[in-house]
């Protein structure tokens, strides 16, 4: 698709966010976490306007570019005209998180097979892997209320999530919130791995659970493992990986 560049029409800060968010969409597709066109990743644009970037509804994640991302307000109305449609219903969950969490720049939501499977398990996330300890350190649950398009669900979702950065949407999927696109992506990588490991382990014998005291100290372990950088520690290598495959996301 020939999509006119918006690079000269937006601020440098917004353009960099567009490039990072488009890269995130491509990486989600690359790792097999997309659900055709039916999930979203949103990012808050710096500034007092409370504007957000979201995917053009109907494009596959591996088609999304920095310029095709749509700028919307808190009600998902377009701020910059675009030939592509947006999905206001799909923005309900994202807008709920952004409204309650000023510390969050990026919200990433998936419907992966492993994520939905674990979200349907009464036990939820089990402390059975190193990956799970990072999730359990900041985890919340929200019960299923049907397809999330009703405004009245927002207060309940916000209350359930609180200050957590990992959210299991029961019978629905997974959600991560990050202070950057890189943080949200790394969190989802860990979340998805946790669910895949749990399902694989449950197919075997009796499970060995991790001592709860270890889970309590995991925040410091994550800080040490990433040199205090969080998602920014791995993001450059992910961008290099993506650039070797296709650099068009940055157009």
């Amino acid at each position: 698709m020939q999509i006119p560049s918006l690079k000269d029409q937006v601020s440098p800060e917004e353009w960099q966010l567009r490039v990072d968010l488009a890269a995130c969409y491509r990486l989600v597709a690359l790792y097999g976490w997309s659900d055709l066109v039916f999930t979203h990743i949103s990012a808050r644009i710096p500034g007092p306007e409370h504007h957000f970037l979201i995917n053009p509804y109907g494009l596959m994640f591996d088609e999304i570019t920095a310029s095709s991302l749509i700028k919307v307000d808190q009600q998902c109305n377009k701020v910059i005209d675009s030939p592509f449609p947006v999905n206001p219903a799909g923005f309900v969950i994202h807008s709920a998180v952004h409204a309650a969490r000023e510390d969050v720049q990026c919200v990433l939501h998936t419907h992966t097979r492993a994520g939905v499977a674990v979200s349907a398990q009464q036990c939820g996330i089990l402390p059975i892997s190193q990956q799970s300890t990072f999730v359990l350190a900041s985890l919340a649950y929200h019960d299923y209320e049907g397809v999330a398009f009703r405004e009245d669900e927002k207060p309940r979702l916000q209350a359930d999530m609180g200050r957590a950065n990992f959210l299991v949407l029961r019978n629905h999927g997974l959600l991560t919130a990050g202070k950057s696109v890189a943080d949200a992506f790394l969190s989802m990588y860990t979340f998805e791995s946790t669910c895949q490991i749990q399902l694989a382990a449950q197919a075997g014998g009796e499970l060995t659970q991790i001592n709860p005291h270890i889970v309590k100290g995991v925040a410091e372990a994550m800080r040490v493992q990433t040199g205090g950088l969080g998602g920014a520690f791995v993001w450059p290598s992910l961008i290099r990986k993506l650039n070797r495959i296709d650099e068009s996301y940055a157009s």
Side-chain angles (χ1 to χ4, degrees):
M1 295 180 292
Q2 297 298 317
I3 299 170
S5 175
L6 294 178
K7 187 174 183 178
D8 296 332
Q9 300 181 42
V10 300
S11 68
E13 294 78 14
E14 180 178 332
W15 181 251
Q16 185 57 57
L17 182 60
R18 283 175 172 273
V19 171
D20 285 341
L21 185 57
C24 189
Y25 273 102
R26 297 292 185 99
L27 287 165
V28 166
L30 182 63
Y31 281 92
W33 306 340
S34 59
D35 181 17
L36 297 179
V37 301
F38 297 112
T39 58
H40 306 277
I41 313 168
S42 61
R44 184 202 307 271
I45 298 171
E49 298 87 359
H50 292 280
H51 291 161
F52 306 88
L53 296 174
I54 197 166
N55 53 313
Y57 197 45
L59 266 63
M60 291 287 197
F61 282 17
D62 61 2
E63 295 179 301
I64 290 174
T65 65
S67 295
S68 68
L69 289 164
I70 301 177
K71 185 192 292 192
V72 298
D73 62 18
Q74 290 177 297
Q75 288 72 47
C76 207
N77 300 307
K78 293 180 185 179
V79 175
I80 295 179
D81 191 35
S82 167
F84 301 104
V86 291
N87 180 20
F91 192 57
V92 167
I93 290 173
H94 294 254
S95 61
V97 177
H98 284 298
R101 296 284 299 274
E102 287 289 333
D103 60 314
V104 168
Q105 181 179 62
C106 182
V107 177
L108 201 171
H109 172 41
T110 62
H111 298 158
T112 63
R113 184 171 297 185
V116 176
V118 172
S119 79
Q121 293 185 340
Q122 196 168 48
C123 63
I125 301 293
L126 295 172
I128 59 171
S129 66
Q130 178 169 271
Q131 288 82 351
S132 73
T133 63
F134 298 125
V135 173
L136 289 164
S138 186
L139 177 65
Y141 295 87
H142 176 64
D143 286 342
Y144 188 63
E145 299 188 21
V147 176
F149 61 84
R150 299 188 313 276
E151 289 289 320
D152 69 309
E153 184 177 356
K154 284 185 177 183
R156 293 184 292 277
L157 188 149
Q158 291 166 337
D160 288 339
M161 186 169 186
R163 306 306 295 176
N165 293 323
F166 298 86
L167 179 65
V168 172
L169 296 159
R170 292 284 194 184
N171 310 99
H172 184 173
L174 308 177
L175 182 146
T176 58
K179 63 182 179 181
S180 67
V181 173
D183 282 346
F185 181 86
L186 179 58
S187 293
M188 185 56 75
Y189 183 89
T190 305
F191 212 178
E192 177 66 20
S193 296
T194 294
C195 292
Q196 291 183 14
I197 291 166
Q198 179 165 319
L199 294 176
Q202 289 171 322
E206 187 175 351
L207 302 178
T208 300
Q209 297 204 1
I210 294 170
N211 188 311
H213 294 293
I214 294 175
V215 176
K216 289 181 180 179
V218 78
E220 175 63 13
M222 175 61 91
R223 189 192 67 79
V224 171
Q225 191 171 19
T226 64
L229 297 175
F233 182 73
V234 297
W235 193 247
S237 62
L238 288 165
I239 294 299
R240 291 194 300 271
K241 178 184 181 73
L242 199 55
N243 286 342
R244 288 193 295 271
I245 298 168
D246 183 359
E247 296 182 339
S248 65
Y249 70 92
S251 63

